[in-house]
């Protein structure tokens, strides 16, 4: 009998049969509040009627319009629609299928555009599992271990982690920027440095928002040295953080923006956006792929963007995120094992620590399992796996947030008992 490879790891024991809105149902039709959203993907909820309708219509019209062979209407329409939400000046876009592919495409683009090789990435950052993206990833060794040598030209520098460094956010920013400056005089000359790649909220690395002053500091340094700033919005984009883009919180402009996950509510599509000037330096034919910009995925993305706008989901993410954060802080106040609650919008993490401040992955794992038992699906993250994260669909209601908080409180009580 053929079975799934042990190379895969499943976070919960649930066998999903169907999904509707914020709920997943198992094969016994037991409902679960899905606060994983398929790792931040089902932004409009499971099977939003508008997304379903758009995809179904497209399936019966044209499934695969290979976009380096022929162009098709859904992709042209999506590109025009993205123009309404992309940062000003980032008006050239191309598409691939996943976050990892988009990350690799952005590196290829940055190297072409600058003629430089090196990429600065952050400790704790996650950019994917393909070989190039894994080379930029340091959120946990499982992505890198045993597969080296990695792609060359990557240097890592610390991300400001005020909680773990036990300092103020301002101190963390100064320290991280000082380390960054040191990197430019010790490890990678600006003349060799093509790009900086950064997540507006460190995701898999533990749900740590980048302080606005940090992103502003990176923008300044990029400008000073002709280095490109790649903002990886794979997890933070399309309203997740309570603003349309995660970097909007800092008011900075990326040179290259990558978006994926929430863009099409579950259909595989990712986009890379940059200025015309920058894109014109890409070698013709250097980007693309057989399935990139799939017509059904493009139609689903278009419908997703419509739903996000029409249902005010960015504002809802901010409002429900604030409600969820407040409730999580109350649970943490009753349970000192939760040392920190942090995040932006509907991207919130609960860091479990022992009294001496060291990571408590065992209690986090118990709370995560107890939550699933109580009907609340969650994920963990962080290098030590001691952060329990919540990323519900952006359509989540106040009642569903409150129901999740009740289950979370029950789960944490059981985990520490
Ligand atoms: N970048 C970020 C910030 C991510 O969170 C992820 C996925 N968790 C990726 C890249 C990789 O995306 P994918 O799994 O679609 O390749």
């Amino acid at each position: 009998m053929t079975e799934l490879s042990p190379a895969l790891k499943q976070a919960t024991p649930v066998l999903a049969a169907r999904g509707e809105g914020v709920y997943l149902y198992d094969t016994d039709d037991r409902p679960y509040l899905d606060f994983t959203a398929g790792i931040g993907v089902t932004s409009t909820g499971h099977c939003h009627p508008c997304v379903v309708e758009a995809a179904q219509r497209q399936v019966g019209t044209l499934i695969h319009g290979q976009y380096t062979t022929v162009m098709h209407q859904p992709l042209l329409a999506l590109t025009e629609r993205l123009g309404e939400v992309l940062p000003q000046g980032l008006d050239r876009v191309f598409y691939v299928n996943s976050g990892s592919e988009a990350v690799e495409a952005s590196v290829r683009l940055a190297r072409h555009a600058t003629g430089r090789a090196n990429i600065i990435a952050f400790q704790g950052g996650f950019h994917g599992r393909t070989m190039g993206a894994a080379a930029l990833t340091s959120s946990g060794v499982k992505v890198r271990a045993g597969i080296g040598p990695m792609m060359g030209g990557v240097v890592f520098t610390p991300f400001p982690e005020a909680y773990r460094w036990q300092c103020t956010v301002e101190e963390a920013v100064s320290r991280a920027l000082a380390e960054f400056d040191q990197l430019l005089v010790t490890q990678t000359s600006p003349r060799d440095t093509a790009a900086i790649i950064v997540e507006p909220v460190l995701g898999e690395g533990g749900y740590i928002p980048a302080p606005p002053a940090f992103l502003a500091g990176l923008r300044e340094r990029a400008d000073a040295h002709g280095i490109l700033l790649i903002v990886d919005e794979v997890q933070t984009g399309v309203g997740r953080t309570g603003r349309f883009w995660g970097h909007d919180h800092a008011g900075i402009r990326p040179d290259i923006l990558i978006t994926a996950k929430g863009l099409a509510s579950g259909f595989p599509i990712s986009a890379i956006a940059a200025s015309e000037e920058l894109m014109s330096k890409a070698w013709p034919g250097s980007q693309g792929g057989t399935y990139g910009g799939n017509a059904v995925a493009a139609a689903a993305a278009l419908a997703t963007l419509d739903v996000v706008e029409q249902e005010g989901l960015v504002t809802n993410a901010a409002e429900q995120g604030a409600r969820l954060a407040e409730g999580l802080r109350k649970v943490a106040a009753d349970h000192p094992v939760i040392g920190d609650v942090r995040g932006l919008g509907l991207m919130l993490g609960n860091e479990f620590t022992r009294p001496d401040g060291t990571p408590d992955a065992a209690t986090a794992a118990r709370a995560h399992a107890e939550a699933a038992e109580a009907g609340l699906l969650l994920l963990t993250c962080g290098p030590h796996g001691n952060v329990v994260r919540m990323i519900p669909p952006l359509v989540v209601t106040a009642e569903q947030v409150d129901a999740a908080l009740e289950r979370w409180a029950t789960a944490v009580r059981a985990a520490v008992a």
Side-chain angles (χ1 to χ4, degrees):
M1 191 177 98
T2 308
E3 287 186 25
L4 287 168
S5 164
L8 301 170
K9 221 177 120 213
Q10 195 180 314
T12 74
V14 175
L15 182 56
R18 65 186 179 94
E20 192 182 333
V22 180
Y23 286 94
L24 267 179
Y25 296 82
D26 69 12
T27 44
D28 297 324
D29 218 30
R30 179 179 174 195
Y32 292 86
L33 272 170
D34 180 13
F35 272 42
T36 74
I39 324 188
V41 169
T42 55
S43 47
T44 57
H46 290 285
C47 302
H48 191 290
C50 296
V51 177
V52 170
E53 201 267 327
Q56 279 176 340
R57 193 164 8 95
Q58 190 57 41
V59 165
T61 312
L62 175 73
I63 296 173
H64 181 59
Q66 206 290 320
Y67 83 147
T68 59
T69 309
V70 296
M71 192 38 63
H72 55 80
Q73 203 53 42
L75 206 61
L76 293 176
L78 173 61
T79 305
E80 197 179 323
R81 184 76 171 79
L82 269 177
E84 293 167 23
V85 291
L86 282 169
Q88 234 189 349
L90 272 63
D91 51 8
R92 292 295 180 273
V93 185
F94 64 91
Y95 302 89
V96 281
N97 308 289
S98 66
S100 301
E101 275 183 275
V103 164
E104 300 220 359
S106 74
V107 170
R108 196 177 294 125
L109 176 62
R111 286 179 168 176
H112 280 166
T114 59
R116 304 173 181 175
N118 292 354
I119 312 287
I120 299 175
F122 292 93
Q123 284 164 19
F126 183 93
H127 301 288
R129 280 192 168 76
T130 54
M131 286 301 270
L136 298 161
T137 292
S138 58
S139 59
V141 283
K142 66 172 184 259
V143 178
R144 301 168 65 87
I147 62 164
M150 311 300 286
M151 174 180 82
V154 180
V155 286
F156 290 103
T157 185
F159 189 90
E161 300 187 22
Y163 173 70
R164 291 179 195 159
W165 293 352
Q166 303 269 291
C167 64
T168 65
V169 171
E170 291 72 25
E171 284 163 353
V173 169
S174 308
R175 181 170 149 194
L177 288 176
E179 296 260 10
F180 186 95
D181 291 336
Q182 185 69 4
L183 194 78
L184 292 180
V185 294
T186 55
Q187 287 195 57
T188 175
S189 155
R191 289 195 330 211
D192 293 330
T193 308
I196 303 162
I197 186 163
V198 66
E199 296 163 84
V201 178
L202 203 68
E204 305 301 314
Y207 274 32
I208 306 171
F214 180 64
L215 291 181
L218 296 182
R219 179 69 269 173
E220 250 171 53
R221 284 154 178 81
D223 286 340
H225 299 293
I227 300 170
L228 299 175
L229 186 61
I230 304 172
V231 177
D232 181 344
E233 296 263 11
V234 166
Q235 193 160 165
T236 49
V238 195
R240 170 60 53 196
T241 67
R243 303 286 294 266
F244 198 92
W245 302 112
H247 73 266
D248 287 342
H249 292 273
I252 57 140
R253 188 186 56 80
D255 295 305
I256 302 176
L257 181 145
I258 313 164
T259 175
K261 289 184 186 283
L263 179 60
S265 301
F267 286 85
I269 189 167
S270 54
I272 299 94
S275 68
E276 181 189 6
E277 188 198 351
L278 213 152
M279 285 282 192
S280 68
K281 293 181 182 152
W283 294 10
S286 61
Q287 306 283 6
T290 303
Y291 297 105
N294 172 268
V296 181
L302 198 56
T304 298
L305 292 174
D306 285 345
V307 170
V308 167
E309 186 188 338
Q310 286 157 13
E311 297 188 10
L313 296 189
V314 182
T315 306
N316 193 57
E319 288 173 3
Q320 300 314 325
R323 188 180 186 95
L324 183 57
E326 194 190 328
L328 293 177
R329 290 201 174 96
K330 280 189 192 142
V331 177
D334 291 338
H335 299 283
V337 68
I338 303 173
D340 197 26
V341 173
R342 57 178 179 250
L344 278 179
L346 285 173
M347 193 171 173
L348 294 165
N350 305 270
E351 179 148 0
F352 283 66
T353 42
R354 296 193 195 90
D356 64 359
T358 55
D360 187 350
T363 310
R366 276 201 301 279
H368 170 263
E370 292 286 350
E373 195 59 37
L376 173 64
L377 300 184
L378 303 171
L379 292 168
T380 55
C381 63
H384 304 280
N386 65 318
V387 180
V388 178
R389 57 171 152 160
M390 304 194 174
I391 17 170
L394 310 184
V395 292
V396 73
T397 63
E399 293 70 33
Q400 289 162 342
V401 164
D402 293 347
L405 283 167
E406 232 179 275
R407 292 176 196 188
W408 176 240
T410 306
V412 176
R413 262 197 309 276
V416 297

